[in-house]
Amino acid sequence: MYMQDNPKYILSIESSCDETAAAVLENGSILQAASLATSEELHQATGGIVPEIAARKQVEFIVPVLHDTLTKFQNKLGLSTREEAIQKIDALAVAVGPGLIGSLLVGVEAAKALAVAWDKPLIPVNHLVGHIYANFVNQPKTIEFPAIVLIVSGGHTDLVLMRNHGDFVYLGGTLDDAAGEAFDKTARMLGLGDYYGGVNLSKKAAMCEKSDLVTKLPRAKIHDADYDFSFSGLKTAVKRIYDQHAYSVESIARDFEDSIVDVLIEKTQRAVLEYGAKSLLMGGGVAANTTLRARMQLMCDKHLIPFYVPPINLCTDNAIYIASAAYFCGTPKPINEIQANPSLGIMDKP
Ligand code: KG4
Ligand code: ZN
């Protein structure tokens, strides 16, 4: 929890999937140094992530990434030795899950080793909470609570009420595919890329202003009174239409993206009104989607509340937001109690 004597400089590590990243933040929001390496290209070549390869790349990248981050931090503070830079670091933070176990273990064990060697506290962080805190990095405004938070990533779609730092109430989430997963599976089906093709699908949609699909794709659960989502039926609906060869890929992509965005906006808007939200926060890889960002902004304008969404480079996985989450709502734990947890949910304590 947030305390007066919060650590000034936090060195954070993120290794949950195919990105290996480290960063140093001052007071949870001012970026001092960051470094990131990714094995994405290898997974593009194999048409999907191979966990074993991702883990081996984590092992290869972790030391150079840490080395680079520390060098940048040392230079940023104008310190003459590495020892002085290390002395400045008040705490370490690491994303312990969710993610791929082989990948997570690399970051978690590296962080534990450094914490022991340097005798510094280590703060375990929930990667999904990290996505939320991307909104607190370099944020000049004071984000007011209660806030509604929508996390849309490759593996998760969660709607959460944030009453304060670290004080979350779960409202709903996907019952099957996550939004990013739906984007990626549909992109693969439409021949738009085998790995993280969601971005390409969105680019195709942008080429078509208005879809000419006669029977629109389903907007699953849009009128249901709950805050849950279901995106798996969309794939089947897209396949049926694609197989008819009657519509362009651009048209199908347009209505697909609109279908996902319609449902996300509708449910988020309902939560904003029901809980009297003073702000809306979005995070996760899919928060990079241009249509979703623009329409969420319009919805917030309509209800006169500020909309916060990270810059694109902070939507996808990185270590910067891990340090922010650690600062605002993390607690150090004894080293032997810190474990990688691949199936951590948004409400689970790390
Ligand atoms: O949060 P993230 O980097 O990794 C996870 O923790 O899952 O999210 C990656 C997901 C992928 O499914 C990717 O296709 C999706 O975010 N994504 C997008 C866009 N940019 C990334 N989906 C739709 N439109 C985009 N512009
Ligand atoms: Zn993520």
Side-chain angles (χ1 to χ4, degrees), residues 180-199:
E181 196 178 354
F183 262 95
D184 296 339
K185 286 179 176 172
T186 306
R188 180 189 288 251
M189 196 196 302
L190 297 176
L192 299 173
D194 287 339
Y195 185 65
Y196 279 9
V199 187

Side-chain angles (χ1 to χ4, degrees), residues 12-291:
S12 55
I13 298 174
E14 153 68 40
S15 73
S16 60
C17 190
D18 56 351
E19 267 94 22
T20 315
V24 181
L25 249 72
E26 180 182 343
N27 294 335
S29 67
I30 305 162
L31 182 60
Q32 294 293 350
S35 186
L36 184 144
T38 177
S39 58
E40 189 183 340
E41 267 179 34
L42 291 173
H43 310 303
Q44 264 160 3
T46 49
I49 194 151
V50 181
E52 176 68 17
I53 292 179
R56 281 168 192 242
K57 284 288 161 185
Q58 292 285 354
V59 173
E60 188 182 319
F61 292 152
I62 189 78
V63 172
V65 161
L66 279 164
H67 180 68
D68 189 51
T69 305
L70 284 167
T71 304
K72 285 174 177 163
F73 179 56
Q74 181 182 330
N75 294 342
K76 185 80 190 287
L77 294 196
L79 302 169
S80 46
T81 65
R82 174 59 56 92
E83 284 64 35
E84 286 173 86
I86 292 169
Q87 264 176 22
K88 283 276 178 193
I89 292 164
D90 301 299
L92 292 143
V94 65
V96 294
L100 301 169
I101 184 66
S103 290
L104 284 168
L105 279 170
V106 178
V108 171
E109 296 307 312
K112 284 158 85 168
L114 287 178
V116 170
W118 294 345
D119 192 23
K120 295 188 194 284
L122 175 57
I123 305 167
V125 173
N126 182 326
H127 173 92
L128 295 169
V129 173
H131 273 301
I132 301 174
Y133 276 89
N135 288 294
F136 291 81
V137 177
N138 289 332
Q139 180 56 259
K141 295 188 190 144
T142 303
I143 297 179
E144 281 194 66
F145 302 119
I148 291 295
V149 182
L150 175 67
I151 299 151
V152 269
S153 75
H156 295 82
T157 301
D158 290 313
L159 203 50
V160 170
L161 170 68
M162 185 174 182
R163 294 190 292 209
N164 208 328
H165 287 296
D167 181 359
F168 303 109
V169 179
Y170 184 75
L171 302 181
T174 188
L175 303 174
D176 38 59
D177 288 355
E181 196 178 354
F183 262 95
D184 296 339
K185 286 179 176 172
T186 306
R188 180 189 288 251
M189 196 196 302
L190 297 176
L192 299 173
D194 287 339
Y195 185 65
Y196 279 9
V199 187
N200 299 336
L201 176 48
S202 180
K203 283 182 188 154
K204 279 280 175 206
M207 292 175 191
C208 169
E209 262 186 28
K210 195 173 183 309
S211 172
D212 59 2
L213 255 61
V214 177
T215 308
K216 282 181 170 271
L217 293 167
R219 267 69 173 159
K221 293 186 69 54
I222 194 163
H223 299 302
D224 290 8
D226 55 34
Y227 289 113
D228 290 330
F229 304 90
S230 169
F231 294 119
S232 72
L234 254 183
K235 283 187 315 261
T236 326
V238 167
K239 175 138 182 47
R240 212 173 42 239
I241 286 172
Y242 185 55
D243 288 347
Q244 289 171 11
H245 303 290
Y247 300 100
S248 66
V249 168
E250 287 81 1
S251 262
I252 299 173
R254 175 74 275 143
D255 197 49
F256 170 84
E257 186 173 84
D258 287 346
S259 164
I260 299 239
V261 173
D262 283 353
V263 179
L264 291 174
I265 299 276
E266 180 62 29
K267 297 243 165 178
T268 306
Q269 172 168 262
R270 189 134 36 82
V272 161
L273 296 176
E274 179 171 348
Y275 293 96
K278 292 193 173 143
S279 14
L280 176 67
L281 277 62
M282 194 160 74
V286 184
N289 184 277
T290 314
T291 307

